[in-house]
Amino acid sequence: MLTESYTISNELQQKITADQAFHYRIVPIKNTGSSIILKTDSDTLKELLAELQIVLDIPVVLEKCNAAELQKYLSSNYRQTQQKTNTQLHYTNDFLEKILIDAKQVGCSDIHFEPYEKRCRVRFRLDGKLIEHYTIPLEEYPTIINKIKIKADLDIAEKRLPQDGRISINTHGNEFDIRVSSLPTLHGEKLVLRILSKDTGALDLDTLGFTETELKRYKEGVRNPNGIVLISGPTGSGKTTTLYATLKHLNTDDTNILTVEDPIEYTLEGINQVQLKESIGLDFPSTLRTFLRQDPDVIMVGEIRDVKTANMAIRAALTGHLVLSTIHTNSAWATISRLIDMGVPSFLIASTLNISVAQRLVRKLCDTCKKETAIDLTQLPENFKIPKDLKTHYEAVGCNNCHHTGYLGRKAIYEIVPITNDLMGPIKENHLEIDAYLKQKQIDTLKANAIQLIKEGITATEEVYSLLTN
């Protein structure tokens, strides 16, 4: 089942600022050359149009939409730049809703409630980095934590052991789940709230960050009716988002798709999703065994953690199913070594693996404040050979627009290795040096893609330093 995408192009986004978008509740959806078409949920179109003509100084056409649709456009394309860092948070009946709305508007993925001896704070994870957003009075912290635990159906009397829960929220047209994790610490319970959006509008393979060639290779890999597609990378590199976008791409009325996940981060209509519960024996291997009796076409396994799961995934691929999963390795080719180290026979890997993908999420420099400077050799790895056409690069500075981080938004970069007939032989014989092959087939590595982002001024050298050392 296809869901409308609420993502608009960068060129359109830049027609108005984030402050204008949220203040006037407008989003640009089309540029006709002579005028710009804006969506809005305002009931006073005539007055709004008159003001926008003056503020934007360009001809404007307004299209009416409902509040829920506009909110999806706003949250998918803009984030509010108002600084709320270090604001003191007090307990009210709707405190959690206010925090969540604030978190969604600035693009936060996780909210951390942390107690210390003399202060308590709330930090938001923005673009992969934590920023302090609120402080909480010491005397109010236990009340706030207990209220969250009650909503997450956790035991408020249990403060000595970690607990996990879930909260479903539907507010201001936004519907999302919150995964709650509590951890006993020296000065009280620390809570982490992971925001799991139910809005799948932005899940689109075409907008994830693939180059045209990479996208073609990847779609060819997932088009096969059987085999395994593996996506590798560290925690927080966007693997799950790529998997969900792939499932959305494959989701048709004539396809039976089954997933086993921990946790279920997006709810996709038309797909049968199973939440892992290892405490009652519902683990990856046992669920996969059951899946094979459910007449599946596509199976998604949240993560291949051990040889049992790997062997079950290979068994599913050998019996005519397409299997999608993730694995923790540093590169697309290192996935082969990881599977062999797990104990999977190399001839089975060669015959079942369709494509291996490695990915990273790289923070993008804020266009408002980034600064171009000459490259300082002391900031680069010793073994890094600087390309001849790389004389300058951009550095992060920081401004109100990017919450003084110097970065605004993230971009995925990929390394995609299709397992062709030329590679099956080396895999079977465990000959895993293929640098020459990658150059011959013009397959860009993570390092090559990182260098390209530096050249284009999209990211800073410090952000991709670890990739340049490989």
Side-chain angles (χ1 to χ4, degrees), residues 20-238:
Q20 289 170 338
F22 283 99
H23 177 71
Y24 293 108
R25 292 192 63 77
I26 55 174
V27 286
I29 58 165
K30 191 174 182 182
N31 187 6
T32 64
S34 58
S35 63
I36 184 170
I37 300 175
L38 305 172
K39 276 189 180 288
T40 181
D41 63 354
S42 172
D43 293 324
T44 56
L45 295 181
K46 189 175 180 181
E47 293 84 347
L48 178 61
L49 180 62
E51 187 170 346
L52 289 175
Q53 299 275 28
I54 298 171
V55 172
L56 301 180
D57 197 27
I58 53 175
V60 171
V61 176
L62 293 179
E63 282 189 6
K64 188 81 166 67
C65 67
N66 61 51
E69 182 185 3
L70 186 75
Q71 192 60 45
K72 289 177 180 178
Y73 272 112
L74 287 171
S75 59
S76 296
N77 299 282
Y78 294 100
R79 70 184 199 189
Q80 288 186 325
T81 58
Q82 182 183 357
Q83 279 291 96
K84 295 187 179 180
T85 303
N86 293 329
T87 301
Q88 195 164 66
L89 174 69
H90 294 280
Y91 172 73
T92 59
N93 288 331
D94 61 347
F95 81 94
L96 183 57
E97 183 177 300
K98 288 179 179 177
I99 289 177
L100 292 174
I101 291 172
D102 187 15
K104 288 288 288 182
Q105 286 175 344
V106 299
C108 164
S109 61
D110 299 84
I111 306 170
H112 292 238
F113 290 80
E114 300 169 318
Y116 299 98
E117 184 179 4
K118 296 181 180 179
R119 63 191 292 262
C120 301
R121 66 180 179 179
V122 178
R123 291 193 292 172
F124 285 4
R125 188 173 291 281
L126 300 176
D127 299 330
K129 301 294 181 182
L130 285 168
I131 298 175
E132 185 172 318
H133 241 62
Y134 297 104
T135 59
I136 301 176
L138 280 171
E139 64 276 8
E140 293 189 39
Y141 185 81
T143 304
I144 286 175
I145 294 303
N146 283 340
K147 291 296 181 182
I148 296 174
K149 289 176 71 175
I150 290 170
K151 288 181 178 291
D153 200 23
L154 300 181
D155 182 1
I156 61 171
E158 180 56 77
K159 302 181 184 300
R160 301 167 300 167
L161 295 173
Q163 297 184 74
D164 292 299
R166 205 175 180 97
I167 305 172
S168 291
I169 300 287
N170 192 338
T171 179
H172 291 260
N174 276 326
E175 188 179 358
F176 45 91
D177 285 340
I178 309 297
R179 190 179 74 194
V180 181
S181 173
S182 75
L183 177 71
T185 67
L186 179 62
H187 299 291
E189 287 183 283
K190 170 183 167 68
L191 289 190
V192 175
L193 278 58
R194 165 65 63 90
I195 300 174
L196 308 174
S197 175
K198 290 187 177 181
D199 176 18
T200 60
L203 290 176
D204 190 339
L205 285 178
D206 295 335
T207 59
L208 286 184
F210 290 108
T211 65
E212 189 175 334
T213 303
E214 288 171 344
L215 184 60
K216 182 181 177 184
R217 283 183 184 140
Y218 185 71
K219 285 186 174 180
E220 285 176 356
V222 301
R223 194 175 291 138
N224 292 331
N226 51 45
I228 300 177
V229 174
L230 284 180
I231 302 175
S232 65
T235 301
S237 59

Side-chain angles (χ1 to χ4, degrees), residues 158-331:
E158 180 56 77
K159 302 181 184 300
R160 301 167 300 167
L161 295 173
Q163 297 184 74
D164 292 299
R166 205 175 180 97
I167 305 172
S168 291
I169 300 287
N170 192 338
T171 179
H172 291 260
N174 276 326
E175 188 179 358
F176 45 91
D177 285 340
I178 309 297
R179 190 179 74 194
V180 181
S181 173
S182 75
L183 177 71
T185 67
L186 179 62
H187 299 291
E189 287 183 283
K190 170 183 167 68
L191 289 190
V192 175
L193 278 58
R194 165 65 63 90
I195 300 174
L196 308 174
S197 175
K198 290 187 177 181
D199 176 18
T200 60
L203 290 176
D204 190 339
L205 285 178
D206 295 335
T207 59
L208 286 184
F210 290 108
T211 65
E212 189 175 334
T213 303
E214 288 171 344
L215 184 60
K216 182 181 177 184
R217 283 183 184 140
Y218 185 71
K219 285 186 174 180
E220 285 176 356
V222 301
R223 194 175 291 138
N224 292 331
N226 51 45
I228 300 177
V229 174
L230 284 180
I231 302 175
S232 65
T235 301
S237 59
K239 304 186 296 295
T240 306
T241 301
T242 301
L243 274 186
Y244 277 112
T246 306
L247 290 176
K248 187 177 172 186
H249 174 72
L250 297 172
N251 189 14
T252 57
D253 289 338
D254 59 357
T255 303
N256 180 22
I257 301 178
L258 300 172
T259 77
V260 54
E261 309 166 54
D262 184 27
I264 296 173
E265 295 198 18
Y266 292 92
T267 304
L268 297 173
E269 189 174 339
I271 292 177
N272 306 285
Q273 297 173 267
V274 177
Q275 169 67 52
L276 202 69
K277 292 180 183 174
E278 292 183 328
S279 59
I280 60 171
L282 189 64
D283 55 12
F284 284 131
S286 64
T287 308
L288 275 173
R289 276 193 293 271
T290 305
F291 277 5
L292 294 180
R293 297 191 288 271
Q294 287 281 321
D295 186 31
D297 297 297
V298 179
I299 294 172
M300 193 268 267
V301 185
E303 183 184 347
I304 291 181
R305 298 174 179 171
D306 50 46
V307 67
K308 283 185 179 180
T309 309
N311 283 333
M312 284 303 302
I314 283 175
R315 178 181 163 189
L318 287 172
T319 51
H321 308 95
L322 179 64
V323 180
L324 311 174
S325 191
T326 67
I327 194 168
H328 286 278
T329 60
N330 291 326
S331 68

